[in-house]
Coordinates of all heavy atoms in Angstrom, one line a residue:
M16 N 97.0 -55.9 14.5 CA 97.5 -57.1 15.1 C 98.9 -57.3 14.8 O 99.7 -57.7 15.6 CB 96.7 -58.3 14.7 CG 95.2 -58.3 15.3 SD 94.3 -59.8 15.1 CE 94.5 -60.2 13.4
A17 N 99.2 -56.9 13.5 CA 100.6 -57.1 13.1 C 101.5 -56.1 13.9 O 102.7 -56.5 14.2 CB 100.7 -56.8 11.6
F18 N 101.0 -54.9 14.1 CA 101.8 -54.0 14.9 C 102.1 -54.5 16.3 O 103.2 -54.4 16.8 CB 101.0 -52.6 15.0 CG 101.7 -51.6 15.9 CD1 102.9 -51.1 15.6 CD2 101.0 -51.3 17.1 CE1 103.4 -50.1 16.5 CE2 101.6 -50.4 18.0 CZ 102.8 -49.8 17.6
V19 N 101.1 -55.1 16.9 CA 101.3 -55.6 18.3 C 102.3 -56.8 18.3 O 103.2 -56.9 19.1 CB 99.9 -56.0 18.9 CG1 100.1 -56.8 20.2 CG2 99.0 -54.8 19.1
A20 N 102.1 -57.7 17.3 CA 103.0 -58.8 17.2 C 104.5 -58.4 16.9 O 105.4 -58.8 17.6 CB 102.6 -59.8 16.1
A21 N 104.6 -57.4 16.0 CA 105.9 -56.9 15.7 C 106.5 -56.2 16.9 O 107.7 -56.3 17.2 CB 105.9 -55.9 14.5
G22 N 105.7 -55.4 17.6 CA 106.2 -54.7 18.8 C 106.6 -55.7 19.9 O 107.7 -55.5 20.6
M23 N 105.9 -56.8 20.1 CA 106.2 -57.8 21.1 C 107.5 -58.5 20.7 O 108.4 -58.7 21.5 CB 105.1 -58.8 21.2 CG 103.8 -58.3 21.8 SD 104.0 -57.8 23.5 CE 104.1 -59.4 24.3
F24 N 107.7 -58.8 19.4 CA 108.9 -59.4 18.9 C 110.1 -58.5 19.2 O 111.1 -59.0 19.7 CB 108.8 -59.7 17.4 CG 110.1 -60.3 16.8 CD1 110.3 -61.6 16.9 CD2 111.0 -59.4 16.2 CE1 111.5 -62.1 16.4 CE2 112.1 -59.9 15.7 CZ 112.4 -61.3 15.8
L25 N 110.0 -57.2 18.9 CA 111.1 -56.3 19.1 C 111.4 -56.1 20.6 O 112.5 -56.0 21.0 CB 110.8 -55.0 18.4 CG 110.8 -55.0 16.9 CD1 110.5 -53.7 16.3 CD2 112.2 -55.5 16.4
A26 N 110.3 -56.1 21.4 CA 110.5 -56.0 22.9 C 111.3 -57.2 23.4 O 112.2 -57.0 24.3 CB 109.2 -55.8 23.6
V27 N 110.9 -58.4 23.0 CA 111.6 -59.6 23.4 C 113.1 -59.5 23.0 O 114.0 -59.8 23.7 CB 110.9 -60.8 22.9 CG1 111.8 -62.1 23.2 CG2 109.6 -61.0 23.6
K28 N 113.3 -59.1 21.7 CA 114.7 -59.0 21.2 C 115.5 -58.0 22.0 O 116.6 -58.3 22.3 CB 114.6 -58.6 19.7 CG 116.0 -58.5 19.1 CD 116.0 -58.8 17.7 CE 117.4 -58.7 17.1 NZ 118.0 -60.0 16.9
V29 N 114.9 -56.8 22.3 CA 115.6 -55.8 23.0 C 115.9 -56.4 24.4 O 117.0 -56.1 25.0 CB 114.8 -54.5 23.1 CG1 115.4 -53.5 24.1 CG2 114.8 -53.9 21.7
G30 N 115.0 -57.1 25.0 CA 115.2 -57.7 26.3 C 116.4 -58.6 26.3 O 117.2 -58.6 27.3
F31 N 116.5 -59.5 25.3 CA 117.7 -60.4 25.2 C 119.0 -59.6 25.1 O 120.0 -59.9 25.7 CB 117.5 -61.3 24.0 CG 116.7 -62.6 24.3 CD1 115.5 -62.8 23.8 CD2 117.2 -63.5 25.2 CE1 114.7 -63.9 24.0 CE2 116.4 -64.7 25.5 CZ 115.2 -64.9 24.9
L32 N 118.9 -58.5 24.2 CA 120.1 -57.7 24.0 C 120.5 -57.0 25.3 O 121.7 -56.9 25.6 CB 119.9 -56.7 22.9 CG 119.7 -57.3 21.5 CD1 119.3 -56.3 20.5 CD2 121.0 -58.0 21.1
I33 N 119.6 -56.4 26.0 CA 119.9 -55.7 27.2 C 120.6 -56.6 28.3 O 121.5 -56.2 29.0 CB 118.7 -55.0 27.8 CG1 118.3 -53.8 26.9 CG2 118.9 -54.5 29.2 CD1 117.0 -53.2 27.2
H34 N 120.0 -57.8 28.4 CA 120.5 -58.7 29.5 C 121.7 -59.6 29.0 O 122.2 -60.4 29.7 CB 119.4 -59.6 29.9 CG 118.3 -58.8 30.6 ND1 118.5 -58.3 31.9 CD2 117.0 -58.5 30.3 CE1 117.4 -57.6 32.3 NE2 116.5 -57.7 31.3
H35 N 122.1 -59.4 27.7 CA 123.3 -60.1 27.2 C 123.0 -61.6 27.2 O 124.0 -62.4 27.5 CB 124.6 -59.7 27.9 CG 124.8 -58.3 27.8 ND1 125.2 -57.6 26.6 CD2 124.8 -57.3 28.8 CE1 125.4 -56.3 26.9 NE2 125.2 -56.1 28.2
D36 N 121.8 -62.0 27.0 CA 121.5 -63.5 27.0 C 121.6 -64.0 25.6 O 121.5 -63.3 24.6 CB 120.0 -63.7 27.5 CG 119.9 -63.5 29.0 OD1 120.9 -63.6 29.7 OD2 118.7 -63.3 29.5
R37 N 121.7 -65.3 25.5 CA 121.8 -65.9 24.2 C 120.4 -65.9 23.6 O 119.4 -66.4 24.3 CB 122.3 -67.4 24.4 CG 122.5 -68.1 23.1 CD 123.4 -69.3 23.2 NE 123.4 -70.3 22.3 CZ 123.2 -70.3 21.0 NH1 122.9 -69.2 20.4 NH2 123.2 -71.4 20.2
Q38 N 120.3 -65.5 22.4 CA 119.0 -65.4 21.7 C 118.6 -66.7 21.0 O 119.5 -67.3 20.4 CB 119.0 -64.2 20.7 CG 119.3 -62.9 21.3 CD 119.4 -61.8 20.2 OE1 118.9 -62.0 19.1 NE2 120.0 -60.7 20.5
P39 N 117.3 -67.1 21.0 CA 116.9 -68.2 20.2 C 117.2 -67.9 18.7 O 117.2 -66.7 18.3 CB 115.5 -68.4 20.5 CG 115.2 -67.7 21.8 CD 116.3 -66.6 21.9
A40 N 117.3 -68.9 17.9 CA 117.6 -68.7 16.5 C 116.6 -67.8 15.8 O 116.9 -67.0 14.9 CB 117.7 -70.1 15.8
V41 N 115.3 -68.0 16.1 CA 114.3 -67.2 15.4 C 114.4 -65.7 15.8 O 114.3 -64.8 14.9 CB 112.9 -67.7 15.9 CG1 111.8 -66.8 15.3 CG2 112.6 -69.1 15.5
I42 N 114.7 -65.4 17.0 CA 114.9 -64.0 17.4 C 116.2 -63.4 16.9 O 116.3 -62.3 16.6 CB 114.7 -63.9 18.9 CG1 113.3 -64.3 19.3 CG2 115.1 -62.5 19.4 CD1 113.0 -64.2 20.8
E43 N 117.2 -64.3 16.8 CA 118.5 -63.8 16.4 C 118.6 -63.5 15.0 O 119.4 -62.7 14.5 CB 119.6 -64.9 16.8 CG 121.0 -64.4 16.7 CD 122.0 -65.4 17.2 OE1 121.7 -66.6 17.2 OE2 123.1 -65.0 17.5
S44 N 117.7 -64.1 14.2 CA 117.8 -63.8 12.7 C 117.5 -62.4 12.4 O 116.6 -61.7 13.0 CB 116.7 -64.8 12.1 OG 116.7 -64.5 10.7
Y45 N 118.1 -61.9 11.3 CA 117.9 -60.5 10.9 C 116.6 -60.3 10.1 O 116.1 -59.2 10.2 CB 119.1 -60.0 10.1 CG 120.4 -59.8 11.0 CD1 121.4 -60.7 10.8 CD2 120.4 -58.9 11.9 CE1 122.6 -60.6 11.6 CE2 121.6 -58.7 12.7 CZ 122.6 -59.6 12.5 OH 123.7 -59.4 13.3
S46 N 116.2 -61.2 9.4 CA 115.0 -61.0 8.5 C 113.7 -60.8 9.3 O 113.0 -59.8 9.0 CB 114.8 -62.1 7.5 OG 114.7 -63.4 8.1
P47 N 113.4 -61.5 10.4 CA 112.2 -61.2 11.2 C 112.4 -59.9 11.9 O 111.4 -59.1 12.1 CB 112.1 -62.3 12.2 CG 113.0 -63.4 11.7 CD 114.0 -62.8 10.8
T48 N 113.6 -59.5 12.3 CA 113.8 -58.3 13.0 C 113.6 -57.1 12.0 O 112.9 -56.1 12.4 CB 115.3 -58.2 13.5 OG1 115.5 -59.3 14.4 CG2 115.5 -56.9 14.3
A49 N 114.1 -57.2 10.8 CA 113.9 -56.2 9.8 C 112.4 -56.1 9.4 O 111.8 -55.0 9.3 CB 114.7 -56.5 8.5
A50 N 111.7 -57.2 9.3 CA 110.3 -57.2 9.0 C 109.5 -56.5 10.1 O 108.6 -55.7 9.9 CB 109.8 -58.6 8.7
A51 N 109.8 -56.9 11.4 CA 109.1 -56.3 12.5 C 109.4 -54.8 12.6 O 108.5 -54.0 12.9 CB 109.5 -57.0 13.8
S52 N 110.6 -54.4 12.3 CA 110.9 -53.0 12.3 C 110.1 -52.2 11.3 O 109.6 -51.1 11.5 CB 112.4 -52.8 12.1 OG 113.1 -53.4 13.1
L53 N 110.0 -52.8 10.1 CA 109.2 -52.2 9.0 C 107.8 -52.1 9.4 O 107.1 -51.0 9.1 CB 109.4 -52.9 7.7 CG 110.8 -52.7 7.0 CD1 110.9 -53.7 5.8 CD2 111.0 -51.3 6.6
V54 N 107.2 -53.1 10.0 CA 105.8 -53.1 10.4 C 105.6 -52.0 11.5 O 104.6 -51.2 11.4 CB 105.3 -54.5 10.9 CG1 104.0 -54.4 11.6 CG2 105.3 -55.5 9.8
V55 N 106.4 -51.9 12.4 CA 106.3 -50.9 13.5 C 106.4 -49.5 12.9 O 105.6 -48.6 13.2 CB 107.3 -51.1 14.6 CG1 107.4 -49.9 15.5 CG2 107.0 -52.4 15.4
F56 N 107.4 -49.3 12.0 CA 107.5 -48.0 11.3 C 106.3 -47.7 10.5 O 105.8 -46.5 10.6 CB 108.8 -48.0 10.4 CG 109.0 -46.8 9.7 CD1 109.4 -45.6 10.3 CD2 108.7 -46.7 8.3 CE1 109.6 -44.4 9.6 CE2 108.9 -45.5 7.6 CZ 109.3 -44.4 8.3
A57 N 105.8 -48.6 9.7 CA 104.6 -48.4 8.9 C 103.4 -48.0 9.8 O 102.6 -47.1 9.5 CB 104.3 -49.6 8.0
A58 N 103.2 -48.7 10.9 CA 102.1 -48.5 11.8 C 102.3 -47.1 12.4 O 101.3 -46.4 12.6 CB 102.1 -49.5 12.9
A59 N 103.5 -46.7 12.8 CA 103.7 -45.4 13.3 C 103.3 -44.3 12.3 O 102.7 -43.3 12.7 CB 105.1 -45.2 13.8
V60 N 103.7 -44.5 11.1 CA 103.4 -43.5 10.0 C 101.9 -43.4 9.8 O 101.3 -42.4 9.7 CB 104.1 -43.9 8.7 CG1 103.6 -43.0 7.5 CG2 105.6 -43.6 8.9
A61 N 101.2 -44.6 9.8 CA 99.8 -44.6 9.6 C 99.1 -44.0 10.7 O 98.1 -43.2 10.5 CB 99.3 -46.1 9.4
A62 N 99.5 -44.2 12.0 CA 98.9 -43.6 13.1 C 99.1 -42.0 13.1 O 98.1 -41.3 13.4 CB 99.5 -44.1 14.4
T63 N 100.2 -41.6 12.6 CA 100.5 -40.1 12.5 C 99.5 -39.5 11.5 O 98.9 -38.5 11.7 CB 101.9 -39.9 12.1 OG1 102.8 -40.5 13.1 CG2 102.2 -38.4 12.1
V64 N 99.4 -40.2 10.3 CA 98.5 -39.7 9.3 C 97.1 -39.6 9.7 O 96.4 -38.6 9.5 CB 98.7 -40.5 8.0 CG1 97.6 -40.2 7.0 CG2 100.0 -40.3 7.4
L65 N 96.6 -40.7 10.4 CA 95.3 -40.7 10.9 C 95.0 -39.6 12.0 O 94.0 -39.0 12.0 CB 94.9 -42.1 11.5 CG 94.8 -43.2 10.5 CD1 94.6 -44.5 11.2 CD2 93.6 -42.9 9.6
A66 N 96.0 -39.4 12.8 CA 95.9 -38.3 13.8 C 95.8 -36.9 13.2 O 95.0 -36.1 13.6 CB 97.1 -38.3 14.8
I67 N 96.6 -36.7 12.1 CA 96.5 -35.4 11.4 C 95.1 -35.3 10.7 O 94.5 -34.2 10.8 CB 97.6 -35.3 10.4 CG1 99.0 -35.2 11.1 CG2 97.4 -34.2 9.4 CD1 100.2 -35.3 10.3
K68 N 94.6 -36.3 10.1 CA 93.3 -36.3 9.5 C 92.2 -36.0 10.5 O 91.3 -35.2 10.3 CB 93.0 -37.6 8.8 CG 93.7 -37.7 7.5 CD 93.3 -39.0 6.7 CE 94.0 -39.1 5.4 NZ 93.6 -40.3 4.7
A69 N 92.3 -36.6 11.7 CA 91.3 -36.4 12.8 C 91.3 -34.9 13.2 O 90.3 -34.3 13.4 CB 91.6 -37.3 13.9
L70 N 92.5 -34.3 13.3 CA 92.6 -32.9 13.7 C 92.0 -32.0 12.6 O 91.3 -31.1 12.9 CB 94.0 -32.5 13.9 CG 94.7 -33.1 15.1 CD1 96.2 -32.7 15.2 CD2 94.0 -32.5 16.4
G71 N 92.1 -32.4 11.3 CA 91.5 -31.7 10.2 C 90.0 -31.8 10.3 O 89.3 -30.8 10.1
R72 N 89.5 -32.9 10.6 CA 88.0 -33.1 10.7 C 87.5 -32.3 11.8 O 86.4 -31.7 11.7 CB 87.7 -34.6 10.8 CG 87.7 -35.3 9.6 CD 87.1 -36.7 9.7 NE 87.7 -37.5 10.7 CZ 88.7 -38.4 10.5 NH1 89.1 -38.6 9.2 NH2 89.2 -39.2 11.4
T73 N 88.2 -32.2 12.9 CA 87.8 -31.4 14.1 C 87.7 -29.9 13.7 O 86.7 -29.3 14.0 CB 88.7 -31.6 15.3 OG1 88.8 -33.0 15.6 CG2 88.3 -30.8 16.5
S74 N 88.7 -29.4 13.0 CA 88.7 -28.0 12.6 C 87.5 -27.8 11.6 O 86.9 -26.7 11.6 CB 90.0 -27.6 12.1 OG 90.3 -28.2 10.8
N75 N 87.3 -28.8 10.7 CA 86.2 -28.6 9.8 C 84.8 -28.5 10.5 O 83.9 -27.8 10.1 CB 86.1 -29.8 8.8 CG 87.2 -29.6 7.7 OD1 87.7 -28.5 7.5 ND2 87.5 -30.7 7.0
R76 N 84.7 -29.4 11.5 CA 83.4 -29.3 12.3 C 83.2 -28.0 13.0 O 82.1 -27.4 13.0 CB 83.4 -30.4 13.4 CG 83.2 -31.8 12.8 CD 83.1 -32.8 13.9 NE 83.2 -34.1 13.4 CZ 84.0 -35.1 13.8 NH1 84.8 -34.9 14.9 NH2 84.0 -36.3 13.3
K77 N 84.3 -27.4 13.5 CA 84.2 -26.1 14.1 C 83.8 -25.0 13.1 O 83.0 -24.2 13.4 CB 85.5 -25.7 14.8 CG 85.8 -26.5 16.0 CD 87.2 -26.1 16.6 CE 87.5 -27.0 17.8 NZ 88.8 -26.6 18.4
R78 N 84.4 -25.1 11.9 CA 84.1 -24.2 10.9 C 82.7 -24.3 10.4 O 82.0 -23.3 10.3 CB 85.0 -24.4 9.7 CG 84.8 -23.4 8.5 CD 85.7 -23.7 7.3 NE 85.6 -25.0 6.9 CZ 84.6 -25.6 6.1 NH1 83.5 -24.8 5.8 NH2 84.6 -26.8 5.8
V79 N 82.2 -25.5 10.2 CA 80.8 -25.7 9.8 C 79.8 -25.2 10.9 O 78.8 -24.6 10.6 CB 80.6 -27.2 9.5 CG1 79.1 -27.5 9.4 CG2 81.3 -27.7 8.3
R80 N 80.2 -25.5 12.2 CA 79.3 -25.0 13.3 C 79.2 -23.5 13.2 O 78.2 -22.9 13.4 CB 79.8 -25.5 14.6 CG 78.9 -26.3 15.3 CD 79.4 -26.7 16.7 NE 79.6 -28.2 16.7 CZ 80.7 -28.8 17.0 NH1 81.7 -28.2 17.4 NH2 80.7 -30.1 16.9
R81 N 80.4 -22.8 13.1 CA 80.5 -21.4 13.0 C 79.7 -20.8 11.8 O 78.9 -19.9 12.0 CB 81.9 -20.9 13.0 CG 82.1 -19.4 13.0 CD 83.5 -19.0 12.8 NE 83.9 -19.3 11.4 CZ 85.0 -20.0 11.1 NH1 85.8 -20.5 12.1 NH2 85.3 -20.3 9.9
D82 N 79.8 -21.5 10.7 CA 79.1 -21.0 9.5 C 77.6 -21.2 9.7 O 76.8 -20.3 9.3 CB 79.5 -21.8 8.3 CG 81.0 -21.4 7.8 OD1 81.5 -20.4 8.4 OD2 81.5 -22.2 7.0
M83 N 77.2 -22.3 10.3 CA 75.7 -22.5 10.6 C 75.2 -21.5 11.5 O 74.1 -21.0 11.3 CB 75.5 -23.9 11.1 CG 75.8 -25.0 10.1 SD 74.7 -24.9 8.6 CE 73.1 -25.3 9.3
K84 N 76.0 -21.1 12.5 CA 75.5 -20.1 13.5 C 75.4 -18.7 12.8 O 74.4 -18.0 13.0 CB 76.5 -19.9 14.6 CG 76.4 -21.0 15.7 CD 77.3 -20.8 16.8 CE 77.3 -22.0 17.8 NZ 78.2 -21.8 18.9
Q85 N 76.3 -18.4 11.9 CA 76.2 -17.2 11.1 C 75.0 -17.2 10.2 O 74.3 -16.2 10.1 CB 77.5 -16.9 10.3 CG 78.7 -16.6 11.2 CD 80.0 -16.5 10.4 OE1 80.0 -16.9 9.2 NE2 81.0 -16.0 11.0
A86 N 74.8 -18.3 9.5 CA 73.6 -18.4 8.6 C 72.3 -18.3 9.4 O 71.4 -17.6 9.0 CB 73.6 -19.7 7.9
L87 N 72.2 -18.9 10.6 CA 71.0 -18.8 11.4 C 70.8 -17.4 11.9 O 69.7 -16.8 11.9 CB 71.1 -19.7 12.6 CG 69.9 -19.7 13.5 CD1 68.6 -20.1 12.8 CD2 70.2 -20.6 14.7
S88 N 71.9 -16.7 12.3 CA 71.8 -15.3 12.7 C 71.3 -14.4 11.5 O 70.5 -13.6 11.7 CB 73.2 -14.9 13.2 OG 73.1 -13.5 13.5
A89 N 71.8 -14.7 10.3 CA 71.4 -13.9 9.2 C 69.9 -14.1 8.9 O 69.2 -13.2 8.5 CB 72.3 -14.2 8.0
Q90 N 69.5 -15.4 9.0 CA 68.1 -15.7 8.7 C 67.2 -15.0 9.8 O 66.2 -14.5 9.4 CB 67.9 -17.2 8.8 CG 66.6 -17.7 8.4 CD 66.4 -19.2 8.5 OE1 67.3 -19.9 9.1 NE2 65.4 -19.7 7.9
M91 N 67.6 -15.1 11.0 CA 66.8 -14.4 12.1 C 66.7 -12.9 11.8 O 65.7 -12.3 12.0 CB 67.4 -14.7 13.4 CG 67.3 -16.2 13.8 SD 65.6 -16.8 13.8 CE 65.0 -16.0 15.3
E92 N 67.8 -12.3 11.4 CA 67.9 -10.9 11.1 C 67.0 -10.5 10.0 O 66.2 -9.6 10.0 CB 69.3 -10.4 10.9 CG 69.4 -8.9 10.6 CD 69.0 -8.0 11.7 OE1 69.0 -8.4 12.9 OE2 68.6 -6.9 11.4
A93 N 67.0 -11.4 8.9 CA 66.1 -11.1 7.8 C 64.6 -11.3 8.2 O 63.8 -10.5 7.7 CB 66.4 -12.1 6.7
R94 N 64.3 -12.2 9.0 CA 62.9 -12.4 9.5 C 62.5 -11.2 10.3 O 61.4 -10.6 10.2 CB 62.8 -13.6 10.3 CG 61.3 -13.8 10.8 CD 61.2 -15.0 11.7 NE 61.2 -16.2 11.0 CZ 61.2 -17.4 11.5 NH1 61.1 -17.5 12.9 NH2 61.2 -18.5 10.8
R95 N 63.4 -10.7 11.2 CA 63.1 -9.5 12.0 C 62.9 -8.3 11.1 O 61.9 -7.5 11.4 CB 64.3 -9.2 13.0 CG 64.0 -8.1 14.0 CD 65.2 -7.6 14.7 NE 66.2 -7.0 13.8 CZ 66.1 -5.8 13.2 NH1 65.1 -5.1 13.4 NH2 67.1 -5.4 12.4
R96 N 63.7 -8.1 10.1 CA 63.5 -7.0 9.2 C 62.1 -7.1 8.4 O 61.4 -6.1 8.2 CB 64.6 -6.9 8.2 CG 65.9 -6.3 8.7 CD 66.9 -5.9 7.6 NE 67.1 -6.9 6.7 CZ 68.2 -7.8 6.7 NH1 69.0 -7.7 7.7 NH2 68.3 -8.7 5.8
R97 N 61.8 -8.3 8.0 CA 60.5 -8.6 7.3 C 59.3 -8.2 8.2 O 58.4 -7.6 7.8 CB 60.5 -10.0 6.8 CG 59.2 -10.4 6.2 CD 59.1 -9.9 4.8 NE 57.8 -10.4 4.2 CZ 57.1 -9.7 3.4 NH1 57.4 -8.5 3.0 NH2 56.0 -10.3 2.9
V98 N 59.4 -8.7 9.5 CA 58.4 -8.4 10.4 C 58.2 -6.9 10.6 O 57.1 -6.3 10.7 CB 58.6 -9.1 11.8 CG1 57.7 -8.6 12.8 CG2 58.5 -10.6 11.6
A99 N 59.4 -6.2 10.8 CA 59.3 -4.7 11.0 C 58.7 -4.1 9.7 O 58.0 -3.1 9.8 CB 60.7 -4.2 11.2
E100 N 59.1 -4.5 8.5 CA 58.5 -4.0 7.3 C 57.0 -4.2 7.2 O 56.3 -3.2 6.9 CB 59.2 -4.6 6.1 CG 58.7 -4.2 4.7 CD 59.3 -5.1 3.6 OE1 60.5 -5.4 3.7 OE2 58.6 -5.4 2.7
L101 N 56.6 -5.4 7.6 CA 55.1 -5.6 7.5 C 54.4 -4.8 8.6 O 53.3 -4.3 8.3 CB 54.8 -7.1 7.7 CG 55.2 -8.0 6.6 CD1 55.1 -9.5 7.0 CD2 54.4 -7.7 5.4
A102 N 55.0 -4.7 9.8 CA 54.3 -3.9 10.8 C 54.2 -2.4 10.5 O 53.3 -1.7 11.0 CB 55.1 -4.1 12.2
A103 N 55.2 -1.9 9.7 CA 55.2 -0.5 9.4 C 54.1 -0.1 8.4 O 53.7 1.0 8.3 CB 56.6 -0.1 8.9
D104 N 53.7 -1.1 7.6 CA 52.7 -0.8 6.5 C 51.3 -1.1 7.1 O 51.0 -2.3 7.5 CB 53.0 -1.7 5.3 CG 52.1 -1.4 4.2 OD1 51.2 -0.5 4.3 OD2 52.2 -2.1 3.1
P105 N 50.4 -0.1 7.2 CA 49.1 -0.4 7.8 C 48.3 -1.5 7.1 O 47.5 -2.2 7.7 CB 48.4 1.0 7.7 CG 49.5 2.0 7.5 CD 50.6 1.2 6.8
K106 N 48.4 -1.6 5.8 CA 47.6 -2.6 5.0 C 48.1 -4.0 5.3 O 47.3 -4.9 5.2 CB 47.7 -2.3 3.5 CG 47.0 -1.0 3.1 CD 47.1 -0.8 1.6 CE 46.5 0.6 1.2 NZ 46.6 0.8 -0.2
R107 N 49.4 -4.1 5.6 CA 50.0 -5.5 5.7 C 50.3 -5.8 7.2 O 50.9 -6.8 7.5 CB 51.2 -5.6 4.9 CG 50.9 -5.5 3.4 CD 52.1 -5.8 2.5 NE 53.2 -4.9 2.8 CZ 54.5 -5.1 2.4 NH1 54.7 -6.1 1.6 NH2 55.4 -4.3 2.7
A108 N 50.0 -4.9 8.1 CA 50.4 -5.1 9.5 C 49.8 -6.3 10.1 O 50.4 -6.9 11.0 CB 49.9 -3.9 10.3
K109 N 48.7 -6.8 9.6 CA 48.1 -8.0 10.2 C 48.9 -9.3 9.9 O 48.7 -10.3 10.6 CB 46.6 -8.2 9.7 CG 46.5 -8.4 8.2 CD 45.1 -8.5 7.8 CE 45.0 -8.6 6.2 NZ 43.6 -8.6 5.8
Y110 N 49.8 -9.2 8.9 CA 50.7 -10.3 8.6 C 51.9 -10.3 9.4 O 52.7 -11.3 9.4 CB 51.0 -10.3 7.1 CG 49.8 -10.4 6.2 CD1 49.4 -9.3 5.4 CD2 49.0 -11.6 6.2 CE1 48.3 -9.4 4.6 CE2 47.9 -11.7 5.4 CZ 47.5 -10.6 4.6 OH 46.4 -10.7 3.8
A111 N 52.2 -9.3 10.1 CA 53.5 -9.2 10.9 C 53.6 -10.4 12.0 O 54.6 -11.0 12.1 CB 53.6 -7.9 11.6
P112 N 52.5 -10.6 12.7 CA 52.6 -11.7 13.7 C 52.8 -13.1 13.0 O 53.5 -14.0 13.5 CB 51.3 -11.7 14.4 CG 50.7 -10.4 14.2 CD 51.3 -9.9 12.9
L113 N 52.2 -13.3 11.8 CA 52.4 -14.5 11.1 C 53.9 -14.7 10.6 O 54.4 -15.7 10.8 CB 51.5 -14.6 9.9 CG 50.0 -14.6 10.2 CD1 49.2 -14.5 8.9 CD2 49.6 -15.8 11.0
A114 N 54.4 -13.6 10.1 CA 55.8 -13.6 9.7 C 56.7 -13.8 10.9 O 57.8 -14.5 10.7 CB 56.2 -12.3 9.0
D115 N 56.4 -13.3 12.0 CA 57.2 -13.5 13.2 C 57.2 -14.9 13.6 O 58.3 -15.4 14.1 CB 56.7 -12.6 14.3 CG 57.6 -12.4 15.5 OD1 58.9 -12.6 15.2 OD2 57.2 -12.2 16.6
R116 N 56.2 -15.6 13.5 CA 56.1 -17.0 13.8 C 56.7 -17.9 12.7 O 56.8 -19.1 12.8 CB 54.7 -17.5 14.1 CG 54.1 -16.9 15.4 CD 52.8 -17.5 15.7 NE 51.8 -17.4 14.7 CZ 50.7 -16.6 14.7 NH1 50.5 -15.9 15.8 NH2 49.9 -16.6 13.7
G117 N 57.0 -17.3 11.5 CA 57.6 -18.1 10.4 C 56.5 -18.7 9.5 O 56.8 -19.6 8.8
E118 N 55.3 -18.2 9.6 CA 54.2 -18.8 8.8 C 54.2 -18.2 7.4 O 53.4 -18.8 6.5 CB 52.9 -18.6 9.5 CG 52.8 -19.4 10.8 CD 51.5 -19.3 11.4 OE1 50.5 -18.9 10.8 OE2 51.4 -19.5 12.7
T119 N 54.9 -17.2 7.1 CA 54.8 -16.6 5.7 C 56.2 -16.5 5.1 O 57.2 -16.6 5.8 CB 54.2 -15.2 5.7 OG1 55.1 -14.3 6.5 CG2 52.8 -15.2 6.2

């Protein structure tokens, strides 16, 4: 809200300056202008920092998704090897379908 108020104040001040109109005393004063400028600057810095953090979170999500896909692929490959190992052994071949369904 402070950013919007400061932005409006500066927009009105710039409007008076562009049109070479006489400014009211409140707008003509330097202290509210300096305060409004600092608020706008601080809000711009905060918005930039938040945007950079949001981009970092997005790349982290992509990395986590990629890692999860790799882990799932490795798990499926391990299950496939286990099923093949069980199926190759005549004594344990009856357990291969169970392992394929993830029951063992």
Side-chain angles (χ1 to χ4, degrees):
M16 291 188 316
F18 171 70
V19 172
M23 294 293 286
F24 176 84
L25 292 176
V27 169
K28 179 153 182 99
V29 169
F31 276 113
L32 291 173
I33 290 174
H34 294 289
H35 303 289
D36 289 338
R37 183 161 161 33
Q38 298 176 21
V41 174
I42 294 177
E43 191 174 22
S44 176
Y45 289 111
S46 57
T48 304
S52 299
L53 287 174
V54 168
V55 168
F56 177 74
V60 168
T63 302
V64 168
L65 289 174
I67 290 170
K68 284 184 179 180
L70 289 173
R72 283 192 298 265
T73 301
S74 69
N75 283 343
R76 285 185 192 132
K77 289 179 182 177
R78 181 185 50 79
V79 167
R80 242 184 245 127
R81 184 186 66 235
D82 292 348
M83 291 301 291
K84 284 182 182 179
Q85 289 174 349
L87 180 62
S88 176
Q90 184 180 16
M91 295 300 290
E92 178 62 24
R94 180 184 287 177
R95 187 194 61 75
R96 282 195 310 264
R97 175 75 174 145
V98 168
E100 175 188 322
L101 289 173
D104 186 0
K106 293 181 182 178
R107 299 186 302 169
K109 62 183 176 184
Y110 299 112
L113 297 174
D115 193 27
R116 291 191 304 253
E118 294 183 22
T119 61

